[in-house]
Amino acid sequence: MTQVSERLVRLLNMVPYFQAHPQISHEEAAAELGVTRKQLLADLNQLWMCGLPGGGPGDLIDLDFDGDNIEVIFSAGMDRALRLTSPEATGILVALRALLDVPGMVDPEAARSAIAKIESAAGSTLAVDDPTPAESASAAAVRAATRTAKALSLEYHSASHDAVSTRTVDPIRVVLVGDNSYLEAWCRAAEGVRLFRFDRIVSAQVLDEPSNPPEPAVAAEPDTSLFDADPALPSATLLIDRSASWMFDYYPLRVVRELPGGAFEAAMTYASDAWMSRFVLGFGSAVRVLEPAALAARVRESAVAALHAYEDG
């Protein structure tokens, strides 16, 4: 599916486009707009429900597209050039720059071009401290495959198993959950929909075959249950020192309570005791296991064994 930003731009241009091409056929319009006829009809139905404040029939864009041709009956002012106030322009610039920091959500070159045009029209620039980092090759490949409906070969690092696997997927859409962007795709090996976090995609290659996810998977809303506590998985309660509070930006942790001095008690689900033990040990004294007792004992035994290994050396 196309990204939200691409569809919004297309919808904003549709009314003047159809006014400039009266009685154009569905097939011709879909070809020129670069979408399928099914997507064109979805866009027309969406546009048909948009318009001026008030929401009454006389305020909404009116289109005739039931037959073989498309005609604009009422434009609701969408044929007039958009004029932005200074605060509106600044708000759009801030939003565009924020999207540039989220891998895969927008075409960086298109966003930078839009920023330059808005800044030029506004007669000023929005100061930023750091330049936007270049898009990674894997993010560009994922975005291209999603846009062109091509299958992907991914090398992906699974945080729960601390391992890299290779899998072939059929992209569905790019979604934003919290502060991270994910590829929602049909994983052929797992035979199910999976979410792949962009910063854990080691490499991505667009394949010369169409993406073909099952229709129910495409029609369904993005499944973010991955980010909720899974009752089928064990959960650990961790005591996280203030010095390690950055963990909340990178790992699926849920704050149980905040303690004096900036420490936290947090819950985290995990796939195996072995992985969780290694994970906690990597933080030294900054992270301790409070529960379950068996996991705390395993971490303690592993730490003691490591110290003995150094002593023996």
Side-chain angles (χ1 to χ4, degrees):
M1 294 181 68
T2 58
Q3 297 177 15
V4 172
S5 58
E6 293 176 344
R7 189 181 186 203
L8 176 59
V9 170
R10 189 170 65 249
L11 287 171
L12 289 173
N13 285 287
M14 270 189 164
V15 172
Y17 169 79
F18 289 129
Q19 286 185 316
H21 301 80
Q23 295 294 320
I24 190 171
S25 70
H26 291 76
E27 289 76 10
E28 291 173 320
E32 289 202 14
L33 293 170
V35 296
T36 63
R37 178 163 179 168
K38 179 180 178 181
Q39 181 64 60
L40 176 67
L41 289 173
D43 288 346
L44 289 169
N45 277 294
Q46 179 75 43
L47 199 60
W48 189 56
M49 298 301 295
C50 300
L52 300 170
D59 303 315
L60 301 178
I61 295 170
D62 193 7
L63 303 163
D64 180 8
F65 55 93
D66 287 336
D68 295 330
N69 304 98
I70 304 167
E71 183 178 3
V72 178
I73 306 300
F74 177 61
S75 69
M78 290 292 289
D79 52 349
R80 294 194 298 268
L82 178 64
R83 298 181 182 276
L84 298 175
T85 64
S86 180
E88 289 172 338
T90 300
I92 292 176
L93 288 172
V94 170
L96 282 171
R97 292 195 183 280
L99 285 173
L100 276 173
D101 291 332
V102 184
M105 294 305 295
V106 295
D107 181 344
E109 292 304 316
R112 291 189 186 99
S113 175
I115 288 171
K117 290 176 182 177
I118 294 172
E119 288 179 338
S120 175
S124 62
T125 59
L126 181 67
V128 291
D129 295 332
D130 300 307
T132 304
E135 184 178 39
S136 68
S138 59
V142 170
R143 190 169 48 77
T146 306
R147 184 181 67 253
T148 59
K150 294 287 188 180
L152 270 172
S153 175
L154 297 180
E155 285 191 9
Y156 187 73
H157 175 258
S158 171
S160 61
H161 294 89
D162 192 21
V164 174
S165 62
T166 300
R167 50 186 97 190
T168 299
V169 303
D170 297 296
I172 298 174
R173 58 178 70 87
V174 174
V175 297
L176 184 65
V177 181
D179 295 327
N180 294 297
S181 49
Y182 294 78
L183 168 67
E184 184 186 17
W186 178 265
C187 179
R188 296 183 184 180
E191 296 186 343
V193 175
R194 296 292 185 268
L195 291 172
F196 301 96
R197 191 163 132 173
F198 267 70
D199 59 1
R200 293 178 184 159
I201 297 175
V202 179
S203 66
Q205 179 182 357
V206 182
L207 301 179
D208 190 21
E209 59 179 284
S211 172
N212 189 30
E215 187 58 36
V218 176
E221 291 294 320
D223 181 10
T224 59
S225 61
L226 170 69
F227 308 97
D228 302 324
D230 184 348
L233 293 175
S235 177
T237 302
L238 307 177
L239 177 60
I240 300 175
D241 186 75
R242 179 180 181 180
S243 63
S245 60
W246 57 268
M247 291 173 60
F248 291 97
D249 294 329
Y250 292 91
Y251 300 101
L253 293 158
R254 178 175 55 84
V255 175
V256 176
R257 64 189 179 112
E258 186 172 355
L259 304 173
F264 295 89
E265 280 188 17
M268 179 176 177
T269 56
Y270 58 97
S272 71
D273 286 351
W275 181 90
M276 194 62 179
S277 178
R278 293 196 304 272
F279 175 78
V280 172
L281 284 170
F283 294 95
S285 61
V287 178
R288 289 173 48 204
V289 176
L290 300 179
E291 293 178 351
L295 178 61
R298 179 166 186 153
V299 172
R300 186 165 51 251
E301 291 167 2
S302 297
V304 170
L307 289 173
H308 285 168
Y310 280 101
E311 292 171 358
D312 293 342

